[in-house]
Amino acid sequence: MKADIVTIFPDFFRGPLDYGITRRAQELGLATIQVHDLREFTHDRHRTVDDRPFGGGEGMVLKPEPLFECLESFDLASRDERLARRVRQSVILLSAQGQPFTQKVATELASLDRIVLVCGRYEGVDERVTDHLADRELSIGDYVLSGGEMAAVVIVEAVMRLLPGAVGNEASTQQESFTVDTKVKGPGGADSTCGSNGLLDYPHYTRPAEFRGIAVPDALMSGNHEEIRRWRRQRALEKTLRNRPDLLEGAALSEEDNKFLAAVVKERMERGRS
Ligand code: SAH
């Protein structure tokens, strides 16, 4: 995969992309990341990339010309071909107004040959970039950052770790929070693995078995695979119910899972009443 990042702060990316799995993916030749300085695509002495908004108001807006020229230098397929999915390329504008970037979107992007990430700054980007240059707008959360650079790092990291071979043990990326394992069909997935299947991940422990008087849960020490599986599944269900109940709707739940959740809810209600 090739990832191109377009930014007015290219030096920002020295560091964040040079560690861990993102670095490994590049060293193994699974991914190439190229950072492009938007100012290289200006033609005036001041290398101007922004201008005042039409209609008045606060702040500055990134001008369309440098962004169009920059992307045109990339030799991408046309926007129509990209949108029709005739090629495995996507031009993404980072934006607080974008669709939410989720693990599902990360998986989708990991299957492409090329992603281009356009980082906005100031009040944002001339809307003609959104409508005629980018294929989609993505947001990394419901808050406003000062620029798209952090968001680009988040997306690159989430996507690169999904490239086959990037993480030493591939199964580990299939059992994580949010991951819906499409290879395991129906509620069978919920029984057959302790993988998340749309839930949050289960808790992890390592040595020492007892730390400052706090012991690792017995079930994990039992050596009984069925008991470990059930314990992990139940903790994942509990945590999802507590922190992200919205995820339960889309999760593949077995009859055993539903019974367990019903019992937890009942217990909570009883505790609330007493
Ligand atoms: N005026 C805009 C915010 C501009 S912030 C608004 O109210 O929606 C400047 C730039 O930061 C944006 O162009 C975008 O590229 C980036 N940015 C800010 N918040 C973001 C988020 N949650 N996700 C992705 N990019 C974001």
Side-chain angles (χ1 to χ4, degrees):
M1 145 166 308
K2 174 149 196 234
D4 296 278
I5 302 176
V6 179
T7 172
I8 60 167
F9 296 130
D11 288 346
F12 178 95
F13 295 93
R14 284 210 196 132
L17 302 175
D18 296 334
Y19 292 90
I21 292 165
T22 316
R23 179 191 183 133
R24 196 179 132 93
Q26 293 174 87
E27 283 173 354
L28 291 173
L30 304 172
T32 322
I33 305 172
Q34 208 176 340
V35 180
H36 307 264
D37 182 355
L38 187 62
R39 291 191 198 277
E40 306 266 308
F41 299 87
T42 56
H43 303 288
D44 63 316
R45 204 155 53 89
H46 301 291
R47 308 177 87 205
T48 311
V49 288
D50 58 329
D51 207 339
R52 288 195 302 275
F54 278 122
E58 292 301 308
M60 301 297 272
V61 176
L62 282 184
K63 290 158 66 61
E65 307 96 306
L67 285 165
F68 273 79
E69 279 190 37
C70 176
L71 264 73
E72 279 155 13
S73 77
F74 289 175
D75 206 20
L76 294 164
S78 70
R79 186 168 183 267
D80 287 344
E81 281 175 299
R82 298 193 308 259
L83 290 177
R85 298 188 186 217
R86 282 201 287 274
V87 287
R88 300 205 291 185
Q89 303 177 347
S90 188
V91 175
I92 296 154
L93 175 66
L94 284 324
S95 164
Q97 301 144 38
Q99 290 167 341
F101 176 66
T102 59
Q103 189 66 16
K104 184 162 174 262
V105 177
T107 310
E108 240 174 83
L109 296 182
S111 72
L112 302 180
D113 300 329
R114 190 157 184 195
I115 56 173
V116 178
L117 298 160
V118 178
C119 305
R121 274 275 155 182
Y122 314 118
E123 284 309 310
V125 174
D126 187 290
E127 196 71 10
R128 285 166 289 194
V129 171
T130 320
D131 293 341
H132 301 281
L133 189 62
D135 306 342
R136 63 196 300 182
E137 291 174 276
L138 288 180
S139 162
I140 62 160
D142 290 350
Y143 37 78
V144 178
L145 302 166
S146 314
E149 286 75 10
M150 290 281 194
V153 170
V154 166
I155 292 180
V156 167
E157 172 139 341
V159 170
M160 301 256 145
R161 63 197 300 287
L162 294 176
L163 298 177
V167 175
N169 174 8
E170 225 158 276
S172 76
T173 56
Q174 284 160 20
Q175 293 201 358
E176 290 173 315
S177 300
F178 313 116
T179 307
V180 179
D181 187 350
T182 45
K183 279 176 244 142
V184 190
K185 294 241 171 353
D191 322 301
S192 59
T193 124
C194 44
S196 85
N197 256 325
L199 301 178
L200 299 179
D201 198 6
Y202 53 79
H204 303 273
Y205 291 87
T206 184
R207 280 181 289 195
E210 191 175 316
F211 170 69
R212 298 192 179 174
I214 312 165
V216 169
D218 286 341
L220 295 181
M221 310 300 280
S222 69
N224 177 333
H225 292 300
E226 177 50 26
E227 196 178 334
I228 294 170
R229 184 203 67 78
R230 192 175 331 111
W231 184 88
R232 287 180 164 166
R233 186 73 189 170
Q234 293 184 347
R235 298 298 79 72
L237 287 162
E238 257 171 11
K239 194 163 208 176
T240 309
L241 181 66
R242 181 166 28 145
N243 290 350
R244 292 293 305 277
D246 55 302
L247 294 177
L248 288 172
E249 268 174 47
L253 300 178
S254 67
E255 207 175 308
E256 183 188 327
D257 292 336
N258 283 319
K259 264 195 208 148
F260 175 75
L261 283 170
V264 174
V265 172
K266 191 167 163 237
E267 193 194 305
R268 272 199 199 168
M269 277 163 56
E270 279 167 6
R271 230 185 300 135
R273 254 186 256 126
S274 61

